[in-house]
Amino acid sequence: MTPGIRPLIAGNWKMNGTLREAAALAEGIRAGLDRSPDADLLICPPFIHLHVAAAAMGWKPVAIGAQDCHPKASGAHTGDVSAAMLADAGVAYVILGHSERRADHGETDALVQQKAAAVIAAGMVPVVCVGETEAQRDAGEAESVVSAQIAGSLPPDFAIAKGVVAYEPVWAIGTGRTPTEADIASMHDRMRAEVAARFPGLGEGTRLLYGGSVKPSNAVAILGLPNVDGALVGGASLKAEDFLAIAAAVPAP
Ligand code: PGA
């Protein structure tokens, strides 16, 4: 954790589930929230499940996020969804530049930066993902890859809009493997220094999440590391009790 920063626990549901399952998952989280967690909570269903998840969540203070958007506000972009449309639908956060989108759709840092600017212009908060592949880590390039992604993917108004950065080593996503605590801490220290240098006076307060095989059994250790201000959770966020257990692992302020 970073003193003074309220943590964020975000669930990335990816391309999973039916309408009924999305509603049941949101309802399970709502029903299990028996006390206020020491963190902001966020669920990011697929576009087509945003509405039912939000409706099932009801008044509980769990924000709704999307997993991508188009950089343009509207127009001839078949199959895409704009930031303005998401804001209109009650979305508060948008995950951008996830490694699966970078890999599956060839998304570049420049495109991620345009999307983040669009999200901010629409009044929402971007959650920009960065992270090295296993080959890059083995080659000793992890830190330089992440630094370049941060430099290229964050628009100028990122910190003032309270943008969030998620460090997600590609080789740790969905694999059950995680970096050592020392490796997570040293990457987050470096990320902190970079956002602080890029956004003087504001970057010190930027939320830096860790993502990649976060689960109830490792959440206490990961969330206790310096400069780890929350988690972006994939697989474990598909079970309400696991997501809530991770939220409950946030250290008290
Ligand atoms: P995982 O996914 O928790 O299933 O590893 C994390 C993510 O891709 O955001």
Side-chain angles (χ1 to χ4, degrees), residues 58-147:
W59 58 268
K60 286 278 176 165
V62 176
I64 305 293
Q67 300 172 18
D68 181 44
C69 71
H70 192 278
K72 296 259 169 63
S74 64
H77 301 287
T78 302
D80 278 312
V81 173
S82 75
M85 291 170 172
L86 294 171
D88 183 48
V91 166
Y93 293 78
V94 185
I95 298 172
L96 297 170
H98 191 283
S99 63
E100 287 150 16
R101 291 208 61 86
R102 291 178 187 262
D104 293 354
H105 300 275
E107 293 199 2
T108 61
D109 290 339
L111 178 63
V112 174
Q113 181 172 159
Q114 286 174 30
K115 291 182 175 193
V119 164
I120 292 167
M124 300 177 293
V125 177
V127 179
V128 171
C129 302
V130 297
E132 81 285 356
T133 63
E134 185 154 36
Q136 288 165 333
R137 176 158 285 267
D138 290 347
E141 296 167 356
E143 297 205 333
S144 60
V145 166
V146 168
S147 296

Side-chain angles (χ1 to χ4, degrees), residues 12 14 98-100 168 172-176 211-214 232-236:
N12 175 9
K14 306 194 181 184
H98 191 283
S99 63
E100 287 150 16
E168 298 206 308
I173 294 175
T175 58
S213 297
V214 176
L232 180 54
V233 186

